[in-house]
Every structure is written in structure tokens, then in C-alpha cells.
Amino acid sequence: MDKLILIDGNSVIYRAFFAMPPLTNSSGLHTNAVYGFTNMMLRLIQEQKPTHLLVAFDAGKQTFRHEGYQEYKGGREKTPPELSEQFPLLRELLESFGISWFELAGYEADDIIGTLSRLGEESGLEVLVVTGDKDMLQVVSDKVTVALTRKGISEVEPYGPKEIEEKYGLTPLQIIDLKGLMGDASDNIPGVPGIGEKTALKLLHQFGSVEEVLARTDELKGKMKENLVNHAEDAVMSKRLATIHREVPIDRAWDTMTFNGFKEETAVPMLRKLEFKSLLERLNFSGSEGDGQADGTAAEASQVQVDVTIVESASLKELEAVLPEIAGLHVESRGDNPHQAELLGMVLSTKERHFFLQPEVLKSEEAEAVRAWLADEQAPKRGYDLHRADLTLFWHGIPFAGAEFDIQLAAYLLDPTESDQTLSALSAKYNLAPLPSDDEVLGKGAKFKVPDLEIFSTHLARKSAAAISIVPEQRAALEQNEMHKLFYELEMPLSRILADMEKQGVAVDRESLMQLGQEFEAQIAKLVSQIYEIAGIEFNLNSPKQLGEILFDKLGLPVIKKTKTGYSTDAEVLEKLAPYHEIVQYILEYRQLAKLQSTYVEGLLKEIRSETGKVHTYFRQTIAATGRLSSQFPNLQNIPIRMEEGRKIRKVFVPSEEGWYILGADYSQIELRVLAHISGDKGLQEAFLHDMDIHTKTAMDVFRVSSDQVDANMRRSAKAVNFGIVYGISDYGLSQNLNITRKEAARFIDQYFDAFQGVRKYMDDIVRDAKRDGYVKTLLERRRYLPEINASNFNLRSFAERTAMNTPIQGTAADIIKLAMVLMDTALSSHGLKSRMLLQVHDELVFEVPPEELELMSKLVPETMEKALKLSVPLKAEVSSGWNWYEAK
DNA sequence: CATCTCACG
DNA sequence: ACGTACGTGAGATGT
């Protein structure tokens, strides 16, 4: 049967733009959106083999929808210029390929597609619509399928009537009613306030349509009923706006949309001009041409075929024979916390074959040689998230060593802000055969189920195969970005060090923690009864909503700040309310203690492993956009220290061996020292060369006074300014922090920049460079892309500008402490020390140390930290030790 | 599952 | 005029 594909050009190119990293050809032309679009379109053609193909575009600003509702699509951000310039490029590319496109004044691409899909269906064609817009689901029928782009655009998810029923419990036409009730912020369609997707679906399941809901509001109650009654007209109008017009006067015959391969003679020059080398190669246009296979349908895009052997005692020998040829592996586990994950299986792969091992086989006596290979530091391992693999295997008694290339870690360095780090997403990014996601094969949440061995082993083999294909691509990309040193000499070695620290764990004194909990409990109980008594009513103190009602409605305190759902009751607000009513102080104290109790006492107790009496945090190396680590299960990077009450929590973190010490060392002012170095500001450098109190020095220069004239308040202000500088300063942010007016804050900043002109120049330069390059980098070449740096939307742009100022500072500081960790790890083993590195808290390292090494370590640790990287100003680390983490201050 | 609040650097 | 300080993780509530 003939098949028609209709692509919503605007929707797809828009998504492509935001899904792809910035990309320009050598003449500076932005091409990322066109690349993403083309890539997706080619894949689609290969998979679907359409006989007819058309790309529809929106034309003009005004459409018939604006006639009834002028605000339609109002409040939308302006299209970024980097994208606008790609529209003509895309049209040119389509023409060069011989693919037809269409637009019509007054109509949106939606309506053109709606009409053509109806006409196609009526002419007996099978129709596939491709868009990122869920609204389009309303045109689905037995003959019309809508494929929605997913995370990024390289994957699409097809919807027929069955899928819509399964996902929403609705018919295609009811999608219009759904939008009528929900509205759509991006198109400025109001809908009914307070009704989101969940509520709208409930209503439609009960009543069937917007009209029926509105006619029967008497069957409803509460706020929802009120909203529906008051906004009935909005709902009806929203539904009308969301309805796709399927009677657009289009005068085009089907044969203008036929597709039977590309016009090579024009497509190739176009692809060359855009410098889409990988696409040229993929289409076989680059090498020997004219073999007649270059019609875009030659390659099968179906899932990759893998040769899998499910290893049993007998086939173990076969595997042993090829261990030296293992090119990649994949370890599968269940559970977020790798310290308690269940091991589900492992695949070891050569370039041709995949060997699947079930946990029992891997642990069996016969598999000794395989385990020896896994533990062999000299046998290089390549795969996805080897850090997690290491931990999972460790807790199942299987040592792992020799991680050489982790593709998750490489992907993070290549783009640390990419939210989808899955192997499926990486496969798509590198144009590999589509890899089904874990969610698809294994199910997610409660539906998680390990499938039949056949399916499961094939899935893992495909993952391993994908990893093997991705490695060389990433090696080249790292080289290209000059990040190979960062990767091979810093991040890869660090991942092993982190795993060691995590396995070691930190001992927690369970009894002391429980006793601390009892003390908190007593104080909390007292506070609660005092608060109830003063309020004259019992309520849920943990509910900001109920608390707000008490403070603002019942007691009539002034409203300082609102959240989007009601009154704000955060600490900042409560501080301001304290003078008005004695209850507020009690609430503040309650909040503080409740936090300590739930997060730190109860939360920490739950994480103590009974086998070890320790907590084993999981440091993640691929989360923070700046290059910092993060810590989970439990988070040991946010243990209280600022307030004495909370600081006591640190007393329960103790050495794991009798008589040992906890030793902590932290960098002093590392971020400002980094700033002094990269900005080259003479005054700032001078201050650190003389090891001055930096906030006092800042106060002297900003307020133009001598050191003995700096009072506490001036120093406090200077300190806030220094923080602001590091964060990417704004007068608004500083004014909030210091509780002063924006004007006063602006004056401070001005005076600061007058005093530290090198810093001003750095801030100007870094923002300018970021606008030019689309990214910023740290001293060790760590990158962060800033796609919004040229946005026309003030907020987005300002955010990106501050990020451009902050990331090189925070990121370089992260580079430095990571270097120090690698050096310390080496130093500990080369000195043959028993001391162990336990934790990293951004600018601090924590160790446990036997008494005989205390003196040595107290010198070695700060010295090593200070020499981690040579800057134009000295680095300074301060050390202290004690019986527990509290004492090590 | 989103929102608010709060702990850390 | 615009209206946020940078980077994280976790617990509790309420829809």
C-alpha cells in the first residue's frame, strides 16, 4: 500500500534545535537544527519507506485562530536568531533532496497536515504524521498514525488509536477536549485554572467531553466546580483553538508529493556545503558513488542483530579463549543505589560475539578465569557506567578493575548538561541502530520485570555492542575538544578512587545518633505543644499550606512573599515576621529541628548498613554541570555545620577502627583564588600572595578605607559581594542577599569593579567569548555549553550569562580538588600508608587516619592539595583532626 | 509527581 | 522593563 509521511516542519526543527548541541559549519553558519531534522528524516525514510512525503510549515504571523483570540501564541519567546537562520536552509535542503514542502498563508502546519492526512486517508493511503505536538493526536485513526518526537528528536513514538486509549483512555477526538480543559501555556491557550492533565483526564473519563462537563457541573464540588463554572467560556474557546482545521483549501495533487529516492546530484553538494560528513557517509554518497544504492532506503535501520551465547559450564571454555579479545562489557543491575543493587547479569563482548552470564554462573567455581580477568587491572574494560558496575559486582563478591573507557563519563564530559544520559540516547546521538530503552524491555517502577533469558540476553548484548561502537567516536570527540587529558588522566582514574572510597564507607555511631534523635524529639515535642497553644488550634506544622493559613489568615500577619500556589513561609519570610508575633520564633526553631530529625537522624539511620555499621555514599561524577561531584544514598555533602544544633550530627561520623582519627582538610577561598588567577586581577592576586583576609581586603578597596576602619558590617557586605562575584553577580541578587535596595547593590558592584578592574574585564570577556563560542571552559578544558547565551528572552539570557561567569570558577575549583584526590591516592599507596580517603565535600577532603600516621598526614594532605595545580596565586589548605568529624574542625 | 522547604559548598 | 544570585539531594505534603 502507498504510504504518506507528513512532517510538521516547524515543530520538528524547533525540537531539533534545542535537542542538539550548537553546531556550525566552517563559515559560521548555524546548522544544528537542520542536522537534527535531516538525521531524523533520513532515519524515518529508511525505516518507513514512504511513497509520498511532504514537510509542512507555518506561514506568517496571523492565522485564522487570531481572529477570535488575538492573544493566541502570545507571550512566546522570540525564536532565537540561530534558529531563524536555519529555516531557509532547511527549505533549501529539502529542495535539493527533491522532497516537497508546503505552506499556506493564514494556516499553521497543523492544519495543513490535518487536511492532507484526511485527504490521504480518503484516497486509501496509509498516513504517518511526525510532530512534537501532542495536539496532533486528534487526527489519529485506523489509517493515520501520529509519531511524536521524544527526548530529543532521534526517537519517535508512534500512536494509533490503541496507544491513545492505553495512555490516556481517550479517543483521538477527545484529545481536543483534553486541551480545552488543560489549556496550553506554550500557545497561550488558557484552559481552566487548576486543571492539569490528571484532573482533565478524570473529568473526561467521567463525562466524555468539555460540553458535557460544563453541563453537569452540579455533579462536582469544591474549587474545581467553581473554576469550571467561572471559566466555562475559556474552556469552550480553548477547545476551539485546539481543534485542527481539516478543510484547508489545498490545491495539490498527490503526485507532487511522491518520493522515490533522493536527487543525488543536488543533495550531495548541499550536504557538503553544510559539512554533514557523517550523513554523507551514512548515505554512501562520500565514497564510490553510482552503485544505485544511494536512494536512502538501502540500509536497514532495524535493531542490530547480535550473536549471543548464553554461557553455561560447557561454553565457559569458549569464553575463556576469547577473553583477550573482549572489546566491551555491560553489567545490568536493578535498583538506584549501586551499593544494594541486585545483579541481574553481565555480557562480555568481542567485536563479533556476545557472552551472557547469569549471576549464578558468574559466581560459580568454574568461572574463576572470567573473574580473574574482571579483577585484572591490566585487562582494559570498556562500557557504560563502569563505576556502577564496579560497585554492584563488589557487593556480590566479584572484584572489578581496569576500567579504561567509560562511555557515560565520556558523554558527560562532551556535554555535561545533557539530561538524557542513557545508552539509548547515546546510540541515537551517534546514529547507531535504535537501541530499545530499558524501560521498554524491562518495564519501569512497579512493572519492572526481567524478561525471558533470550530477550534479556539479547538486550544486554545490544547494549554492549552499542557501547563498543560508541567508544571510538567518543575518543575522537574528546581529542577534538582537547579533553583527552581530562578524561584519561583525571576523570577515569578518579572514578576508581571514588569507588574505593564508597566501598570503604564511613562508620556511624548508631547509638549516639539515636540518642541525639531523642534529644531532638524532646525539644520538638515541647515546641509543638507551645505552638499549638499559642495558635489555639492543632494543625500540621509540616504543611506550608496549613501554616500559611494560621499565620496570615488567622493571625493576620503581613504577607511578605507569595509562591505560585499560596503564601510563602520559608525561613527568610519567617525571619521578617518574627518581630510581629512570638509564635514565629518557635516555628523557626521547630523547622530547624524537624529538618535535623527527619533528614539527618532518621534518614541517616536508614542508610547504615548492618553488615558494616557504615554508610556508603555514592559519589556521582556525571551529574553537576560544573564538574563537581554529587553524593547520594545518603548525601554526605550536606551534613549540617553552620548551626551548632545541626553541627552535632557530625559527632556520629567516627573512624572505623579503634583509636584512629578523622582528619579533614579544606581549601581556603579556592574559588576566589581561582578567580584571581584566571582574571589576572593584580589587586586580587596581591591579596592572596600576602595571604590577607580577603573579605576585609575587599571591604578596604570597595569602601576606600584602611584595614582598621573596616567594621563588621562592611566586612559582611564585602563578603556578600565576593559571593556574588563568584556566582555571576546581579544587583538584584545582591540586594536580596544583603536586604538592601537594588540601587545600593548596583553601587556596591560598581565600586567593586572599579577596585578590581581585572575582574570586570574577565566578566566582560567570558560573556563575550561564550556568546561567540556557545560554551565556556575551565582551566582543564572542561566544557559547558550555554545554548541560551544569545536568547532574546531576558531571563534566559541573563541566566546563561551568570552561568558563563560562574562555571569556569566553580568548575576549575572542581578540577583542582579532583587533581588533589588523584595525587592523594597515589601518595597513600606510594608511602604505604594505612590512612584512607573517605569523603570529598567540594573544597574539603576527609580521611580516617591511624595514630602513628597522624603527624605525617597532617602535613601530607594539605601539601598535596596545595600543589595540585600551579596558579599565579598560592593555593591554601587548612587541616584539622579529632575523634570524629565534629572535632575535625 | 510537582511543589515547597532546607541542608551543604 | 525584564526579575535570579551558582551548584547539588532529600523529606514532607497534597493533588
Side-chain angles (χ1 to χ4, degrees):
Chain A
M1 185 166 36
D2 284 355
K3 187 184 239 178
L4 167 67
I5 294 188
L6 297 165
I7 301 177
D8 184 332
N10 287 75
S11 166
V12 174
I13 197 177
Y14 216 85
R15 272 160 203 264
F17 179 72
F18 290 107
M20 303 289 297
L23 190 69
T24 53
N25 72 358
S26 49
S27 54
L29 198 60
H30 287 94
T31 55
N32 64 330
V34 173
Y35 179 82
F37 185 103
T38 311
N39 199 16
M40 194 218 72
M41 184 176 68
L42 293 179
R43 179 178 299 242
L44 209 64
I45 290 170
Q46 287 173 347
E47 282 174 30
Q48 303 288 335
K49 308 189 185 2
T51 54
H52 298 73
L53 174 59
L54 179 124
V55 181
F57 290 101
D58 299 345
K61 285 209 156 353
Q62 286 284 322
T63 67
F64 69 91
R65 286 189 177 79
H66 291 89
E67 286 164 22
Y69 181 56
Q70 211 27 254
E71 291 79 26
Y72 180 64
K73 294 205 170 174
R76 264 205 180 181
E77 283 158 33
K78 239 185 98 206
T79 309
E82 295 81 0
L83 174 56
S84 305
E85 71 186 42
Q86 297 188 54
F87 276 95
L89 221 51
L90 177 60
R91 288 182 189 151
E92 195 183 335
L93 179 133
L94 292 172
E95 280 168 14
S96 79
F97 273 53
I99 293 170
S100 49
W101 60 271
F102 187 69
E103 63 183 11
L104 188 62
Y107 295 94
E108 295 181 59
D110 278 13
D111 304 305
I112 296 169
I113 289 177
T115 304
L116 287 174
S117 64
R118 176 182 61 81
L119 292 171
E121 185 175 6
E122 287 167 9
S123 315
L125 294 169
E126 188 185 339
V127 183
L128 178 69
V129 173
V130 184
T131 178
D133 188 351
K134 283 204 184 82
D135 286 10
M136 208 69 224
L137 293 176
Q138 62 187 268
V139 307
V140 164
S141 71
D142 290 338
K143 287 282 181 291
V144 180
T145 306
V146 170
L148 293 181
T149 55
R150 299 206 310 179
K151 310 168 186 160
I153 54 149
S154 42
E155 284 178 63
V156 294
E157 191 172 13
Y159 282 81
K162 190 169 123 262
E163 284 76 18
I164 296 178
E165 166 67 30
E166 274 168 18
K167 180 137 187 204
Y168 298 106
L170 299 179
T171 64
L173 282 177
Q174 284 179 308
I175 295 292
I176 313 176
D177 297 276
L178 182 64
K179 181 94 160 243
L181 292 171
M182 283 171 60
D184 182 341
S186 71
D187 286 346
N188 210 24
I189 295 181
V192 178
I195 297 193
E197 178 171 303
K198 293 269 144 48
T199 318
L201 284 173
K202 218 165 66 192
L203 289 169
L204 290 175
H205 293 155
Q206 192 179 346
F207 298 105
S209 71
V210 167
E211 291 74 14
E212 195 64 18
V213 173
L214 296 178
R216 290 163 57 188
T217 45
D218 49 332
E219 295 172 37
L220 299 166
K221 54 186 169 41
K223 193 85 187 160
M224 185 167 71
K225 172 180 180 178
E226 201 181 301
N227 280 331
L228 278 163
V229 171
N230 292 336
H231 296 86
E233 278 181 32
D234 282 342
V236 172
M237 180 191 68
S238 298
K239 180 171 173 179
R240 202 174 59 238
L241 287 170
T243 305
I244 289 172
H245 185 40
R246 305 192 71 179
E247 302 283 350
V248 178
I250 299 176
D251 181 23
R252 272 188 85 148
W254 292 125
D255 59 17
T256 64
M257 303 173 210
T258 50
F259 176 79
N260 42 27
F262 306 125
K263 284 201 292 183
E264 203 177 310
E265 64 283 6
T266 44
V268 172
M270 184 68 196
L271 289 172
R272 293 239 164 87
K273 170 178 155 189
L274 294 170
E275 298 170 12
F276 290 170
K277 294 201 197 94
S278 63
L279 289 182
L280 279 163
E281 278 168 35
R282 190 159 136 225
L283 294 172
N284 264 327
F285 283 169
S286 54
S288 57
E289 285 150 55
D291 57 4
Q293 284 297 315
D295 61 3
T297 58
E300 280 297 328
S302 58
Q303 289 168 16
V304 69
Q305 293 302 308
V306 282
D307 174 1
V308 190
T309 305
I310 294 173
V311 175
E312 319 253 342
S313 308
S315 43
L316 260 169
K317 287 287 165 230
E318 244 179 291
L319 171 55
E320 283 174 23
V322 298
L323 281 174
E325 296 163 43
I326 295 299
L329 58 80
H330 187 79
V331 173
E332 192 66 54
S333 60
R334 179 203 319 237
D336 289 334
N337 184 341
H339 293 291
Q340 5 201 325
E342 179 190 358
L343 177 62
L344 297 177
M346 170 162 77
V347 164
L348 297 179
S349 310
T350 68
K351 291 220 163 78
E352 294 83 29
R353 295 186 62 187
H354 305 275
F355 295 85
F356 172 79
L357 296 108
Q358 289 180 279
E360 309 79 63
V361 177
L362 189 54
K363 290 178 189 176
S364 71
E365 211 172 304
E366 296 103 304
E368 179 53 41
V370 176
R371 287 198 300 276
W373 180 84
L374 283 172
D376 181 0
E377 209 177 317
Q378 300 306 316
K381 317 295 188 303
R382 296 164 195 127
Y384 178 87
D385 200 354
L386 300 177
H387 181 177
R388 179 179 290 270
D390 182 346
L391 296 177
T392 306
L393 290 171
F394 172 80
W395 291 108
H396 285 82
I398 304 166
F400 178 91
E404 193 268 337
F405 198 105
D406 184 329
I407 65 174
Q408 187 192 37
L409 195 45
Y412 165 74
L413 289 191
L414 291 168
D415 185 356
T417 52
E418 171 59 59
S419 57
D420 188 350
Q421 288 187 348
T422 60
L423 199 39
S424 306
L426 282 175
S427 289
K429 179 169 174 179
Y430 290 102
N431 296 320
L432 303 178
L435 179 70
S437 70
D438 288 338
D439 292 352
E440 283 168 57
V441 181
L442 307 173
K444 61 175 172 183
K447 288 206 186 109
F448 188 99
K449 189 174 172 293
V450 179
D452 295 343
L453 216 51
E454 172 83 24
I455 296 177
F456 186 54
S457 58
T458 303
H459 180 56
L460 296 201
R462 287 200 173 113
K463 285 185 162 190
S464 184
I468 291 174
S469 305
I470 290 167
V471 169
E473 304 263 358
Q474 290 184 328
R475 282 199 208 277
L478 290 167
E479 198 72 36
Q480 175 82 30
N481 288 357
E482 297 182 315
M483 294 196 294
H484 46 285
K485 253 189 107 162
L486 177 66
F487 180 73
Y488 295 107
E489 293 176 29
L490 186 63
E491 299 288 357
M492 282 304 306
L494 183 68
S495 82
R496 194 269 305 159
I497 295 167
L498 292 173
D500 285 350
M501 292 161 65
E502 296 157 4
K503 291 171 192 169
Q504 186 60 47
V506 186
V508 172
D509 181 343
R510 200 163 201 286
E511 279 66 45
S512 303
L513 184 54
M514 285 173 60
Q515 202 189 323
L516 197 53
Q518 304 222 311
E519 288 169 27
F520 290 153
E521 194 53 57
Q523 295 182 59
I524 289 170
K526 201 168 145 205
L527 282 166
V528 169
S529 64
Q530 279 175 308
I531 291 167
Y532 288 164
E533 189 165 337
I534 298 170
I537 181 177
E538 297 198 359
F539 61 102
N540 186 346
L541 256 172
N542 290 324
S543 163
K545 188 162 168 267
Q546 296 183 32
L547 178 60
E549 282 159 16
I550 300 288
L551 293 177
F552 305 110
D553 295 338
K554 186 158 186 292
L555 299 176
L557 297 178
V559 177
I560 311 276
K561 192 165 69 172
K562 295 195 118 190
T563 68
K564 60 178 155 182
T565 52
Y567 307 118
S568 170
T569 65
D570 65 22
E572 195 188 318
V573 169
L574 295 182
E575 299 284 357
K576 294 196 171 122
L577 291 177
Y580 292 94
H581 204 292
E582 57 162 349
I583 197 171
V584 179
Q585 193 52 44
Y586 293 124
I587 293 170
L588 277 165
E589 287 171 32
Y590 168 83
R591 278 261 177 93
Q592 200 194 350
L593 288 163
K595 173 82 177 175
L596 294 175
Q597 187 72 308
S598 67
T599 305
Y600 296 102
V601 177
E602 290 163 8
L604 212 49
L605 281 170
K606 281 189 215 140
E607 295 290 344
I608 301 176
R609 295 277 301 253
S610 48
E611 309 95 295
T612 58
K614 295 176 173 182
V615 288
H616 300 267
T617 191
Y618 174 40
F619 286 111
R620 297 197 62 184
Q621 215 173 339
T622 60
I623 299 297
T626 52
R628 277 190 176 183
L629 300 177
S630 87
S631 157
Q632 287 179 311
F633 317 129
N635 181 353
L636 294 184
Q637 292 183 318
N638 72 345
I639 302 301
I641 190 165
R642 294 173 190 169
M643 307 293 279
E644 177 54 30
E645 277 303 291
R647 193 171 193 154
K648 288 182 183 157
I649 297 280
R650 294 187 169 227
K651 293 186 179 181
V652 310
F653 291 88
V654 295
S656 66
E657 309 214 22
E658 192 66 36
W660 285 33
Y661 293 86
I662 295 289
L663 179 146
D666 63 303
Y667 280 114
S668 161
Q669 304 296 350
I670 187 165
E671 292 187 335
L672 287 172
R673 286 171 197 259
V674 166
L675 174 64
H677 174 85
I678 57 185
S679 71
D681 184 275
K682 290 295 169 227
L684 209 50
Q685 290 185 344
E686 199 65 13
F688 285 121
L689 287 167
H690 295 102
D691 201 17
M692 298 171 74
D693 176 321
I694 193 62
H695 302 314
T696 303
K697 160 75 175 161
T698 304
M700 288 162 60
D701 291 358
V702 168
F703 299 112
R704 303 206 175 95
V705 295
S706 65
S707 65
D708 49 355
Q709 289 173 296
V710 175
D711 63 28
N713 206 30
M714 289 157 85
R715 188 175 180 282
R716 193 177 66 88
S717 300
K719 188 172 173 180
V721 172
N722 278 328
F723 268 95
I725 292 293
V726 169
Y727 291 156
I729 199 149
S730 74
D731 49 16
Y732 185 83
L734 183 64
S735 74
Q736 288 289 300
N737 192 284
L738 282 176
N739 225 335
I740 56 178
T741 67
R742 224 184 75 234
K743 253 195 154 147
E744 290 166 321
R747 248 179 68 79
F748 272 168
I749 294 168
D750 237 32
Q751 287 169 335
Y752 177 93
F753 282 136
D754 284 344
F756 299 93
Q757 298 202 21
V759 177
R760 169 182 276 154
K761 181 160 178 353
Y762 160 74
M763 296 293 172
D764 291 346
D765 289 352
I766 193 78
V767 169
R768 189 199 60 215
D769 291 354
K771 285 181 192 293
R772 182 194 61 208
D773 301 331
Y775 62 86
V776 290
K777 53 187 191 175
T778 67
L779 274 189
L780 297 197
E781 300 288 335
R782 184 188 303 283
R783 276 188 192 200
R784 177 173 182 177
Y785 292 96
L786 299 167
E788 286 160 347
I789 192 83
N790 291 313
S792 54
N793 178 301
F794 175 87
N795 275 330
L796 291 178
R797 189 178 64 246
S798 305
F799 195 0
E801 287 170 358
R802 289 195 301 277
T803 310
M805 300 186 238
N806 168 265
T807 295
I809 301 172
Q810 193 182 117
T812 299
D815 293 346
I816 292 172
I817 193 163
K818 283 176 166 178
L819 281 170
M821 292 171 78
V822 173
L823 291 179
M824 263 321 297
D825 180 75
T826 310
L828 287 178
S829 35
S830 69
H831 286 75
L833 296 175
K834 288 189 276 182
S835 295
R836 304 168 185 134
M837 185 150 57
L838 300 178
L839 296 173
Q840 187 251 47
V841 193
H842 309 307
D843 64 356
E844 170 189 15
L845 295 176
V846 179
F847 298 80
E848 57 183 5
V849 177
E852 68 275 16
E853 293 176 6
L854 188 60
E855 198 182 331
L856 171 66
M857 285 289 284
S858 301
K859 283 192 70 171
L860 179 64
V861 174
E863 277 174 13
T864 306
M865 290 170 74
E866 287 170 3
K867 71 171 194 207
L869 189 65
K870 180 117 184 72
L871 301 182
S872 56
V873 294
L875 288 174
K876 186 177 169 195
E878 289 168 338
V879 69
S880 62
S881 54
W883 297 117
N884 54 53
W885 199 4
Y886 179 95
E887 304 289 340
K889 59 181 175 186

